[in-house]
Amino acid sequence: MLKKGDLFIVLIVIIMIAVSFVGVSIFRGREDDGHKTALIIRDGKEIRRIDLDAVDEPIEITVDGDYNNTIIAEKGRIRFMEADCPDKVCVDTGWLYKTGDMAVCLPNKVMIKIEGKSQDIDIVTY
Amino acid sequence: MGTVVIQRIYHKEAEKIGEKVKKRIAEIEAKMTINKPGGEINALNDTSGKDYVVLGDDTLYVLDKARHFSDISNGAFDVTIGPLVKAWGIWSDNPRIPQKSEIDELLELVDYKDVLIDKDNSRAMLKKTGQVVDLGGIAKGYAADEAINIYKENGVESAFISMGGNVAVLGGKPDGSPWRIGIRNPKGSQGSYIGIVSVKDKTVVSSGEYERFFEKDGVRYHHILDPKTGYPAESDLTGVTIVSDLSIDADALSTATFVLGLEEGMRFIEGLDGVEAVFITKDDKIYITGGLKNIFEFKDESKEFEYVEKR
Amino acid sequence: MSGVKKIVLLGLLISQALVLSIIESWIPIPMPVPGVKLGLANIITVTVIVFFGFREALTVMTIKCVLSSIFGGGGWMLFLFSFSGGLLSTVVMSGLYKAGRDKFSIIGISIAGAISHNIGQLLVAAFFMQDLAVAFFLPLLLVSGCIMGFFVGVISSFLINALKNTKLY
């Protein structure tokens, strides 16, 4: 059933996969400095920044919008706990705990991602 | 106090020391809260206008400090603000705007000079019935100081604690460099900052309208009440940060300075020894007192603020 | 083919695509990454490309996206999300099919379609989240697109061969 041209498609696909894997792993490797900061972003704007290393007791964050998301942060990890959006991909993503991990609620334009902590400061006074 | 506590301790037994600190904080909270029943401050408030109440060393010390700072700030910070705090329901789930007449009535009860402290007999009393002492603006600072003491007693040389944003540091970082404390961007998200102070063995405490507020009919009411008017302080500041040796001092001073505003607040802080401050104004300008010149670094990623330094 | 017959057949194909996308939503996928789907509805897109052509395929795909976001909920965002993937994959698959059916098999075309589907979705996600970090999902999406595209291609080949024998088209 396969034809000659398929080889060409397969080749391109393999190259794309290889390049993207290498690219992402380089990017992740560079960011991973052992510290973890979770960013909650809505509509392209950062709405909350949580130092995951410093979370002692679970923090619950509600994000309103077209839909509602409930986010739970614990020591070293964070996740979408509940959402009333139709696809629930964000909740299914489960816990994020590594630098570069990410969960997206597309219907609500909300995203959580984990970044290496900026080494610039130790803590923020408020 | 219901505050988020963050500790970083460099020591073999960091975990154990951290637990000790948590226990001590809970103890202080139980004694000094007015949001839960029990404790010494509740007892003091309940017998206001009637009788003296015997207080433990902790509470007596904090109350005395609170009175002292009420005094030197000329009432910009007033420890007897309690009746108004309760009327506004600032720490409750349903804050409200009290009637003007109610506020005027309660203002009669706000006067730190009515806190009578009898150190010789370890007791205190409130002069008028219905007066309420609120240590909410100072007990966090005390708890942070106590944490630093516990670190020291246990041989820790490098640590910091954040008591709901009140930061106190012991020594410098393990590599000997100073701790770098970000000052919160009053308009940005939690964790974003407008500048950094680098310190060793200091405390860095902030007050700002962003900490707690509610909105009604399009008007924003924040949690820092002006003891003179009974309404949220109409300050030209959005936030103020105090750098000093004792967190209890910084806690009271940050509230007082916020109420005083830029001009008066600056004069007030410069009149005190060993106390420095960073002011963030409503028109997005940043001012510092002279002593911070070399340890404050303006770093505003939001690009919304202007660093004017000293005025 | 008469206009009426075409409309009836396309209508049938749209409803089949719709059913497939609903069935698909019931099947849990172990990789909860936005955009990873079985892509079963691609079976229909490929079939329409083979028997009708690009324009018809685009119509079927668009109507399917509109209806599935009405029935499945998710509103404007999820519609744009699935439409962008569908658009790119329909364009790519039609292009490859026209370029030479003797050069590319249905399986090859389907793999290319699945992958472009995922890339299209990722672009829209990046646009709406205003964050290129979603590119972290790219490797996973490419691999899953490859696997899904292969199976969808196999099924489509069978379907297309079977339909050719019916002389319906």
Side-chain angles (χ1 to χ4, degrees), chain A residues 35 46-51 54-57 59 117-126, chain B residues 6 8 22 160 162 164-165 173 179-182 184 189-191 193 196 204 206 210 299:
Chain A
H35 289 297
E46 176 186 320
I47 55 170
R48 182 112 184 224
R49 182 181 278 264
I50 302 164
D51 181 350
V55 178
D56 245 357
E57 273 153 36
I59 305 173
K117 186 154 63 187
S118 115
Q119 293 289 19
D120 218 19
I121 55 160
D122 297 296
I123 193 155
V124 173
T125 166
Y126 55 89
Chain B
I6 293 167
R8 189 178 302 163
K22 273 195 208 162
F160 72 70
S162 164
K173 293 196 220 189
W179 294 104
R180 291 168 65 80
I181 318 294
R184 196 220 208 250
S189 72
Q190 259 183 19
Y193 52 90
I196 304 162
V204 185
S206 301
Y210 50 80
K299 195 171 185 195

Side-chain angles (χ1 to χ4, degrees), chain A residues 41-89:
Chain A
I41 296 163
R42 166 139 193 270
D43 249 343
K45 275 200 220 72
E46 176 186 320
I47 55 170
R48 182 112 184 224
R49 182 181 278 264
I50 302 164
D51 181 350
L52 289 183
D53 302 322
V55 178
D56 245 357
E57 273 153 36
I59 305 173
E60 193 180 301
I61 302 137
T62 318
V63 184
D64 304 322
D66 297 343
Y67 301 94
N68 299 300
N69 302 113
T70 308
I71 296 165
I72 298 265
E74 290 180 4
K75 195 172 182 70
R77 58 183 198 168
I78 186 164
R79 72 170 296 173
F80 282 102
M81 207 66 206
E82 272 169 50
D84 54 12
C85 59
D87 66 349
K88 302 233 188 324
V89 165

